[in-house]
């Protein structure tokens, strides 16, 4: 006899086994085919746009690279032509006097470096902006940020910017160069190196000055054009002026014929006349136009020759303070006599104070 099956409504149903859970559906071939079809349709719809953008970017980069190479090559040829012209002129006698090859070479190299850097920055910067605009990127925020950053950098490094700009204009205007003797206000000496930020000077004592180009407010170039050698000859006022002038002119004529002074003198030595007349002296001014930087040697040689010529002619040269003449004074007759003493007078207060005190006598 079989018992009927009993069921309890409130009893929980048994949980399914792991083998009975539903597994995720594996991608079918139809799904893969649909994905490939969608990708192909997307590529088919956008390939022309991407191809056009890529070709445009490639064209911009190629044109920028070619333009940059052409401009740099043109600048290099221009600098080389300037250098060859300087070397050709430097081989002549006039070029040896007027042209400094090292100065011109450094100046040409500095100008070429600045021009190449500026052109490269402009060409490649413009190409970069054009590439960004090709991808439809808004350049207004980028340019505004670059402007703000440029202003901040300009304020933070204003001394560096000032030095750089001053150096650029100094080189372009050819204010001074290597080998020139200049007075820059803050320092003076011979220029040994010219840079866009710093100029190196060799001082009179051998020291090297590093002068920032932005600190130079004025420049006195002693090596451009010509220099003036001036000598002041001080003679006694009783000398014959015609004889003094004739002697100076003879010295000037002879010096203008001798080597190497005939090359260093760019004009005749002139006796300008009396520069001043005093009670004990008179000054005659002699001047000559010389090569740049050769004024001091010419002045020294001219003084040497004038002194020798004046000694031969018997012309007295005076100058400075007159020497004090020694005056003989007669000997003092009272020097060996001692001064009178107050103690020689017995009635003087000093004698009375120095005399012994008498002791009082006892009373009887």
């Amino acid at each position: 006899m079989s018992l009927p099956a009993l069921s309890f409504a409130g009893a929980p149903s048994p949980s399914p086994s792991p083998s009975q859970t539903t597994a995720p559906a594996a991608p079918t071939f139809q799904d893969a085919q649909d994905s490939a079809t969608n990708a192909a349709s997307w590529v088919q719809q956008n390939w022309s746009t991407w191809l056009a953008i890529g070709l445009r970017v490639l064209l911009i980069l190629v044109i920028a690279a070619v333009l940059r190479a052409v401009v740099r090559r043109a600048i290099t040829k221009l600098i080389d032509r300037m250098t060859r012209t300087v070397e050709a002129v430097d081989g002549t006698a006039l070029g040896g006097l007027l042209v400094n090859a090292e100065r011109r070479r450094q100046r040409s190299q500095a100008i070429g470096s600045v021009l190449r850097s500026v052109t490269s920055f402009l060409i490649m910067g413009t190409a970069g902006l054009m590439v960004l605009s090709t991808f439809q990127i808004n350049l207004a925020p980028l340019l505004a940020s670059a402007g703000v950053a440029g202003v901040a950098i300009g304020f933070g490094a204003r001394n560096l910017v000032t030095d750089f700009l001053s150096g650029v204009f100094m080189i372009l205007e050819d204010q001074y160069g290597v080998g020139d003797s200049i007075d820059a206000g803050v320092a003076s000496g011979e220029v040994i190196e010219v840079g866009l930020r710093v100029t190196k000077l060799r001082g009179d004592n051998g020291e090297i000055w590093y002068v920032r180009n932005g600190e130079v407010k004025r420049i006195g170039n002693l090596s451009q054009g010509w220099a003036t050698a001036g000598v002041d000859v001080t003679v006694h006022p009783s000398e014959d002026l015609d004889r003094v002038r004739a002697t100076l002119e003879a010295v000037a004529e002879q010096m203008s014929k001798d080597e190497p002074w005939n090359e260093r003198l760019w004009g005749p030595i002139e006796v300008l006349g009396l520069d001043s007349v005093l009670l004990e002296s008179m000054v005659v001014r002699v001047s000559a136009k010389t090569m740049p930087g050769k004024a001091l040697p010419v002045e020294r040689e001219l003084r040497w020759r004038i002194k020798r010529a004046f000694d031969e002619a018997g012309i007295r040269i005076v100058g400075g303070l007159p020497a004090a003449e020694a005056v003989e004074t007669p000997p003092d007759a009272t020097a060996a006599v001692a001064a009178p003493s107050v103690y020689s007078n017995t009635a003087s207060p000093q004698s009375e104070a120095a005399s012994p005190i008498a002791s009082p006598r006892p009373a009887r």
Side-chain angles (χ1 to χ4, degrees):
M1 183 175 178
S2 62
L3 297 175
L6 299 176
S7 62
F8 299 92
S13 61
S15 59
S17 61
S19 59
Q20 295 178 354
T21 58
T22 304
T28 62
F29 179 76
Q30 184 64 31
D31 296 336
Q33 185 177 4
D34 295 340
S35 299
T37 302
N38 294 333
S41 61
W42 183 84
V43 171
Q44 185 178 4
Q45 294 175 0
N46 297 279
W47 73 271
S48 58
T49 304
W50 288 103
L51 181 61
I53 293 176
L55 292 176
R56 188 178 300 174
V57 171
L58 181 61
L59 182 63
I60 291 173
L61 295 179
V62 169
I63 292 177
V66 172
L67 183 61
R68 177 176 177 270
V70 170
V71 173
R72 289 174 66 90
R73 186 176 181 84
I75 293 174
T76 303
K77 286 186 176 181
L78 178 62
I79 298 303
D80 293 341
R81 182 177 300 178
M82 292 172 58
T83 306
R84 286 196 300 268
T85 303
V86 170
E87 292 177 354
V89 176
D90 189 61
T92 62
L94 180 61
L97 296 176
L98 299 179
V99 180
N100 189 322
E102 180 64 20
R103 166 186 174 178
R104 299 295 183 182
R105 185 186 64 81
Q106 287 200 9
R107 179 172 177 264
S108 301
Q109 289 183 354
I111 293 175
S113 176
V114 171
L115 292 178
R116 283 190 290 267
S117 300
V118 171
T119 54
S120 298
F121 176 77
L122 292 178
I123 293 174
M124 301 310 296
T126 304
L129 294 178
M130 294 177 66
V131 169
L132 293 178
S133 64
T134 302
F135 289 101
Q136 297 182 356
I137 298 176
N138 189 11
L139 299 180
L142 181 62
L143 294 177
S145 302
V148 173
V151 171
I153 294 175
F155 276 107
R158 58 184 179 273
N159 291 332
L160 182 62
V161 175
T162 302
D163 296 340
F164 180 81
L165 293 178
S166 299
V168 169
F169 284 106
M170 179 270 301
I171 292 176
L172 292 178
E173 296 172 359
D174 194 17
Q175 298 177 5
Y176 56 86
V178 175
D180 288 351
S181 296
I182 66 171
D183 181 3
V186 294
S188 61
E190 181 181 356
V191 180
I192 60 177
E193 185 177 342
V194 178
L196 293 177
R197 193 182 69 87
V198 175
T199 298
K200 292 183 182 180
L201 302 178
R202 174 77 66 179
D204 296 334
N205 297 325
E207 69 276 12
I208 296 180
W209 298 97
Y210 294 85
V211 181
R212 288 171 41 197
N213 295 327
E215 293 182 349
V216 178
K217 304 303 180 183
R218 61 166 179 82
I219 289 292
N221 197 324
L222 307 178
S223 300
Q224 286 184 352
W226 46 269
T228 301
V231 175
D232 292 333
V233 183
T234 307
V235 297
H236 198 271
S238 62
E239 298 292 340
D240 187 2
L241 289 178
D242 294 334
R243 191 160 65 98
V244 171
R245 177 184 288 274
T247 305
L248 292 176
E249 290 177 351
V251 171
E253 183 179 0
Q254 184 62 35
M255 184 174 175
S256 301
K257 297 178 181 179
D258 295 342
E259 295 284 346
W261 309 109
N262 55 353
E263 295 181 357
R264 298 181 180 180
L265 291 173
W266 285 7
I269 301 176
E270 300 178 353
V271 181
L272 302 180
L274 285 175
D275 195 51
S276 64
V277 178
L278 304 177
L279 293 176
E280 298 180 355
S281 65
M282 58 183 179
V283 179
V284 182
R285 180 75 173 176
V286 181
S287 177
K289 185 181 293 185
T290 66
M291 292 174 54
K294 301 299 181 181
L296 187 58
V298 171
E299 291 176 359
R300 290 172 177 171
E301 181 66 19
L302 191 56
R303 291 191 187 98
W304 183 283
R305 292 172 179 256
I306 291 174
K307 178 63 170 64
R308 292 178 58 183
F310 277 17
D311 290 343
E312 294 176 358
I315 301 175
R316 292 178 297 173
I317 297 178
V318 298
L321 297 176
E325 298 180 357
V327 180
E328 295 184 1
T329 56
D332 188 5
T334 62
V337 179
S341 176
V342 294
Y343 294 101
S344 60
N345 185 6
T346 57
S348 63
Q350 288 82 0
S351 298
E352 294 179 357
S355 61
I357 301 174
S359 57
R361 293 180 180 183
R364 292 182 181 181

